[in-house]
Amino acid sequence: MDIMPTEIADDSASTQDYLQKASSKSSVAVKRPGHSGPVVDPISAFYIFAIINVLAALYAPIQDCDEVFNYWEPTHYLNRRYGLQTWEYSPEYSIRSWLYIVIHAIVGKFGSLFSTKKSFEFYFIRVMLALTCSFCQSRLFATISKVLNPRIANWFMLVMLFSPGMFHASAAYLPSSFSMYTTMLGMTSFMDWRGGSKTHIGIMWFGIGGIIGWPFSAALIGPFLVEELILASITRDVEIVRRLVDGVVRSGIALQVAVDTFFYHKLVFVPWRIISYNIFSGAGRGPDIFGTEPFDFYIRNLLLNFNVWFILALCAGPLLVLQYVLRLEPSTRFTLMRSAFFVSPFYMWLAIFSAQAHKEERFMYPAYPFLGLNAAIALHSILGYVGNANPKKLMGMIPAKLKFAVVLASVVLAIDIGVLRTLGVVSAYRAPLQIYSALQQSDTARNGGVVCLGKEWYRFPSSYFLPNGMHAKFIRSAFNGLLPGEFNEAKVGFGIFAGTWLIPPGMNDQNLPDPGKYVWSLKLCAEMTLIRGSSTYPTAPIWWIHTSLLRTSHSSNRITFLMSKFGNNCGVADFWIRRTRASSVDSSGCRKSHGFLRGIGGTGEIIA
């Protein structure tokens, strides 16, 4: 009764054989005769991953306002010389690395050679992120296929392709996504011992993810390092010290310090400042002031984003232990240990972050590859048990066609749930990436102008969707925290990128509101039309639409179309221009004002 991957449970490896392999790092496991090569070759895998990831780059909504204000806006500042600035980029606090921004700004600058549209630059960066993710996925896919089993690799591919979580993480401009890429490359190095030790390469990749990306992601290397140290102590391998130092040196610490020192005009090690603020900042500071969630937040979130695959990922460890305890497959303590190091990082990550009060979906991104691997191993193990044809065993008595039908239906159901959720999120929450295109044809756009953001400021898709010279500003709303300011645009006498080192006014690390972040006179937004939900919908939000949308003989139809593009609910909307009532439009057909509200996926205000 085989419920464990046969390549992980080495039939023939004795303790001495395993130690010999571990010390020489020549192989991980002995495959049974008759195993074919991968059903999908690595090049084909890259193209398959690329198709889904590029679709995500083109259509996925921005899930997190941090992505806009902490990464897209600084990139816009480097390439366009203006943009919104969060307190994290103030030299007083400097807890965001400019190296991560510079890498993407260079990519965006190259993309601008092909089009003058800023939105093209935005999507060019996104597509490059998608292709980078595809490369990392295909590398890990190939390693799983060679080291474990081609079938496990194929299941891993299925999890990566049809999970809503990976759809959004693959092309997100976030350090946690970047760390997810480097995690896959680090896993590849630690899992594949063939051709000699790759410890230093694995440390390098996890180090790059922690130094350039997100410092906490480096914790995922823990189980692999424990394995290395255990084997080094058994085999008395003194070279482990050299490999550890080599990997750390390659991780980009010197480059990160040099780049951030250049931009902040002071010596700063950003990864430590991030760790210090999040762990040692004290009362009134730290991540908890930005919101807390219950212990089961990630369980519910991962069920939404990975459905059945998340449940399988949780089962991987128990299945390995069950096989060893019940002797369902011949194995040694050492092969069990090797298997445990493959599956344990996901449990470790989930436990650590579930224990934190402040939780966000993106914090799980670095562990997504481990989730996919665990799910693939668990499913392969279960199928090995279900596929048992021995008539003396319970599973052998069940007709093969019936077993196949049940397995196929389960897998198809998991895929369908994932695809439907992905389509639902894209159709219901993508409006912010579309509605700003109307500004490109307005008079105000040609003259610079200002776009004012209200309660729904966090859905703003970045200055890349505004015409050249147009700035985003904020009006007072129900939000009572610290809003972003603007990078200083001083040029003469301050050198290049002065906004990165000049201390902006009104910043703090306690999320306290600053009145200076608001536009107190609506004259700056005079070229806007105020749209308010009628008394039929007393909780309807305030909407701001640029007056250029009204400058046609069919203005009501244009507004109505915008408001109904993504929904199918009824509603009535009243229109004001410069706070002077202009007209009232009945949204007939039950596809009007509330539909647009649903289109942006929330309530509140937006100015477009």
Side-chain angles (χ1 to χ4, degrees), residues 476-484 505-518 520:
R476 197 74 172 90
S477 68
F479 179 72
N480 195 36
L482 180 65
L483 288 166
M507 296 295 190
N508 65 80
D509 62 351
Q510 298 174 278
N511 199 29
L512 300 175
D514 171 36
K517 301 295 189 295
Y518 297 108
W520 293 99

Side-chain angles (χ1 to χ4, degrees), residues 143-324:
T143 298
I144 295 172
S145 182
K146 290 185 296 183
V147 173
L148 301 182
N149 188 305
R151 296 185 185 91
I152 296 177
N154 292 335
W155 289 124
F156 171 80
M157 174 184 284
L158 203 66
V159 176
M160 294 289 100
L161 289 176
F162 297 108
S163 299
M166 275 303 302
F167 183 81
H168 294 290
S170 62
Y173 183 6
L174 288 166
S176 50
S177 283
F178 179 82
S179 297
M180 181 183 71
Y181 306 159
T182 57
T183 291
M184 287 188 273
L185 297 177
M187 291 171 66
T188 297
S189 300
F190 277 111
M191 290 176 66
D192 189 3
W193 285 352
R194 293 181 295 181
S197 171
K198 301 181 182 66
T199 303
H200 59 298
I201 302 299
I203 293 173
M204 178 193 73
W205 285 120
F206 278 104
I208 290 174
I211 297 298
I212 300 177
W214 192 34
F216 298 103
S217 68
L220 286 166
I221 199 176
F224 293 115
L225 285 183
V226 170
E227 180 189 28
E228 292 287 333
L229 293 174
I230 290 175
L231 295 178
S233 65
I234 295 174
T235 60
R236 298 180 181 179
D237 179 15
V238 296
E239 282 293 302
I240 183 66
V241 177
R242 181 192 61 80
R243 294 196 295 270
L244 291 174
V245 173
D246 187 13
V248 172
V249 170
R250 293 170 182 240
S251 63
I253 295 177
L255 179 61
Q256 186 270 324
V257 172
V259 171
D260 285 330
T261 299
F262 169 79
F263 281 101
Y264 284 120
H265 280 211
K266 66 178 183 178
L267 184 64
V268 58
F269 185 50
V270 170
W272 166 247
R273 297 182 74 91
I274 294 174
I275 294 171
S276 176
Y277 179 79
N278 283 277
I279 299 178
F280 308 114
S281 55
R285 292 177 171 81
D288 292 359
I289 66 174
F290 299 102
T292 59
E293 299 291 343
F295 181 83
D296 63 346
F297 173 83
Y298 288 124
I299 295 175
R300 291 182 285 114
N301 180 266
L302 292 173
L303 281 171
L304 280 173
N305 283 323
F306 288 90
N307 57 78
V308 176
W309 309 121
F310 171 59
I311 297 173
L312 287 170
L314 293 177
C315 293
L319 286 174
L320 294 177
V321 174
L322 185 64
Q323 174 177 311
Y324 178 77

